[in-house]
DNA sequence: TTGTAAGCGTTATCAA
DNA sequence: TTGATAACGCTTACAA
């Protein structure tokens, strides 16, 4: 049995032309019911398998979207990736994924490769290339939680998240508020968390500190840096005071939490801890973490609708419009580290 | 400026035929240095971008591999996925990823879709379809840590891992050994963990129990089920005895650990806990988890070499050979839950 | 070392 | 409602 059946084979088998076979798939309404059944039977008889590569070449629609992630170790990213991939059932797009391109050069190479496969759009979570460069490729691009000046984007309302976290610490009578962050540039959405922390602290005339840790080149390096900050600058540094620690991510907050527990044997009442993201692990720790949750299902849904719209517009020949920035509100989730 | 430059355009520009342009890319040795430079210049002048879709249609090589995962929440899977994607730099394959197809029907649909894109091979971690079905698609398939009777595979030596874990508990003078598992069929590699637990316990005439929890439909359901087992059947169930708990995964072990810590305020000396996988979180817990580590970098490397080989063989027209099963030894990592 | 021409498996245009 | 025929952009004999 021939293993690669084409429209021509079906045409020969049924006596139609291959044009009619193509129409059976793309414009079935223009074929008589009777002939439709004939073709349908032939398809089964010969065990036809569609060839999208040929289809793409002919009509230009790949149904591919490129996806570029910073990494997949971070549960926030792999959670987003999982949800994006799952939109296949609703949107039909397939995703070609690249991850971990921290060098501009290699990220450009990845994009060239994606372009060679005629992706219809690109979703970017990595921070490697400036949005101006991404915009220059001339395909629809949607950024998620990254610098987005020249491209459309979906991001959490980081500023509001920072207010929620800081206000909670303030209401819980913390005397010293610490914002524990990695270095963040002002054009990144996450900077809103710092900005609102500062604004809120100043508004209420609170005693606050910004402390920085380094991301390092691996999880372990980051963890070491955070432990170091906690042991050197937080523990025993504020005797008699209640300390509220707002961490830039759950990953960071969990390390802070564990470091404190290892020091005291438990989480003393004089410490409050809040994370950001609401990754699954924030629920798995010994003491469940209070966190500002990113609604990643909403983010993904908005991002997919947005990129679909951009792709449709491009197909319709519309000129690239002004970038659209969608903001998703965060959800403060109060658990045991602020109780 | 024309935005879609083809070989024909380069040919017109340089005065060569498009065949020569093609050769510039695929058989550069057959072109004079001088003409190579001419073509190279034209490519830049016209800003040529390659079109792999057309290339695929002409030569049949997509450089696509399909990847099917059970999910990406489990850090073991997302870790494997990350490492597989990163092999792009070494192997050049691009990956079209599907995830979370727990129904046979939808997994078949995913595979049909992958086939329509002319993937050259398939890597499967999901347990949804029996290997017989996967083998029937007639493309190279490599399974990772799943039932693999009719397809090639790479798996951890689960039996050895079970021996390592059980022996450690035995050496540490545990009086009662518990193997905490989810329901596992004998044809799945992970069954080896149970088998060796049983064999080792019987060999040393130890007091042992197998306890089952249910995976549920989400992380939370699984966690509830595990907590339930721990609270009802482990804590206070063996007074005066030292209890060794060998969990089927780190995810499970971490929940056990946290449940015990929440009960006692710490991890009492009469409990030893061992996990399996060595996911990053096993290092992040308050008390670091002893675990049987899967060498996922080795697994991925072996899997990629294996599937490349299968793809090459298929191209060379060789008949499908007997499935090849590669076993990767685990690494016992002793940390604080057995100290 | 280069060119001609046929082909890969679809879709799109026009005509009937 | 159907069919010829020409794309789509590249590769690959075969010929020169």
């Amino acid at each position: 049995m021939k293993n690669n059946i084409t429209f021509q084979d079906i045409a020969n088998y049924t006596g139609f032309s291959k044009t009619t076979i193509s129409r059976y798939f793309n414009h079935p309404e223009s074929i008589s019911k009777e002939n439709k059944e004939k073709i349908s039977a032939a398809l089964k008889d010969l065990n036809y398998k569609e060839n999208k590569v040929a289809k793409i070449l002919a009509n230009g629609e790949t149904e591919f979207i490129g996806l570029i992630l910073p990494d997949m170790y971070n549960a926030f990213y792999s959670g987003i990736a999982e949800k994006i991939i799952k939109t296949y059932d609703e949107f039909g797009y397939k995703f070609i994924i690249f991850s971990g391109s921290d060098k501009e050069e290699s990220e450009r190479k990845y994009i060239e490769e994606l372009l060679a496969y005629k992706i219809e759009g690109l979703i970017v979570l990595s921070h490697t290339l400036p949005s101006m460069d991404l915009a220059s490729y001339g395909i629809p691009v949607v950024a998620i939680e990254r610098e987005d000046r020249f491209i459309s984007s979906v991001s959490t309302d980081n500023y509001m998240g920072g207010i929620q976290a800081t206000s909670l610490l303030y209401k819980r009578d913390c005397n010293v508020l610490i914002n524990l962050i990695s270095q963040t540039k002002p054009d990144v959405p996450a900077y809103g968390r710092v900005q609102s922390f500062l604004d809120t602290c100043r508004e209420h005339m609170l005693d606050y500190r910004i402390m920085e840790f380094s991301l390092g080149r691996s999880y372990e390096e980051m963890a070491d840096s955070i432990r170091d900050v906690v042991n050197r600058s937080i523990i025993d540094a504020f005797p008699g005071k209640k300390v509220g620690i707002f961490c830039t991510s759950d990953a960071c907050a969990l390390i802070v939490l564990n470091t404190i527990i290892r020091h005291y044997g438990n989480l003393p009442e004089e410490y409050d801890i809040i994370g950001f993201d609401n990754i699954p692990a924030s629920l798995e720790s010994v003491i469940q973490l209070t966190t500002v949750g990113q609604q990643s299902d909403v983010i993904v849904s908005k991002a997919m609708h947005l990129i679909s719209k951009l792709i449709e517009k491009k197909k319709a020949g519309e000129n690239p419009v002004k970038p659209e920035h969608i903001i998703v509100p965060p959800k403060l989730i109060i658990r045991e580290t602020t109780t």
Side-chain angles (χ1 to χ4, degrees), chain A residues 187-205:
Chain A
D187 58 359
V188 173
Y191 190 78
R193 308 174 195 175
V194 185
Q195 192 58 56
S196 55
F197 174 82
L198 288 172
D199 291 350
T200 308
C201 287
R202 286 170 184 154
E203 185 192 337
H204 297 287
M205 315 249 276

Side-chain angles (χ1 to χ4, degrees), chain A residues 26-183:
Chain A
N26 300 305
H27 302 284
E29 69 284 359
S30 72
I31 299 186
S32 74
K33 202 181 164 193
E34 190 191 335
N35 290 341
K36 250 188 272 194
E37 278 161 12
K38 267 192 205 165
I39 295 175
S40 167
L43 257 18
K44 270 192 193 138
D45 290 354
L46 301 182
N47 189 28
Y48 171 77
K49 302 284 180 192
E50 64 176 333
N51 183 335
K52 291 224 176 172
V53 176
K55 185 172 177 170
I56 292 166
L57 187 60
N59 76 2
E61 301 185 0
T62 59
E63 298 178 342
F64 277 141
I65 287 180
L67 176 59
I68 303 186
L69 301 166
D71 67 72
M72 285 170 57
Y73 297 107
N74 185 318
F76 175 70
Y77 295 130
S78 56
I80 292 273
E82 161 98 359
K83 292 190 177 77
I84 287 180
I85 289 172
K86 284 242 182 90
T87 64
Y88 169 76
D89 297 321
E90 183 186 354
F91 289 88
Y93 287 111
K94 272 70 53 182
F95 297 90
I96 305 179
I97 304 183
F98 284 103
S99 167
S101 56
D102 41 2
K103 282 184 247 150
E104 291 204 4
E105 188 195 1
S106 65
E107 181 143 330
R108 288 216 177 78
K109 208 179 96 199
Y110 292 163
I111 295 179
E112 293 294 335
E113 183 80 345
L114 290 169
L115 257 22
Y117 281 96
K118 301 296 160 190
I119 53 166
E120 302 191 40
L122 184 63
I123 297 180
V124 184
L125 282 88
S126 80
H127 298 224
T128 312
L129 292 180
S131 63
M132 184 146 66
D133 289 24
L134 293 171
S136 71
Y137 286 104
I139 53 164
V141 180
V142 168
I144 294 181
E145 278 284 311
R146 55 150 285 151
E147 179 269 308
D148 59 2
R149 181 145 169 228
F150 298 98
I151 55 184
S152 290
S153 68
V154 181
S155 302
T156 289
D157 188 338
N158 283 270
Y159 192 88
M160 183 194 283
I163 291 181
Q164 291 175 335
T166 314
S167 302
L168 178 62
L169 294 176
Y170 165 63
K171 278 186 210 142
R172 287 182 46 76
D173 298 322
C174 292
N175 307 320
V176 180
L177 269 63
I178 297 171
N179 191 8
L180 186 52
I181 62 174
S182 63
Q183 211 190 10

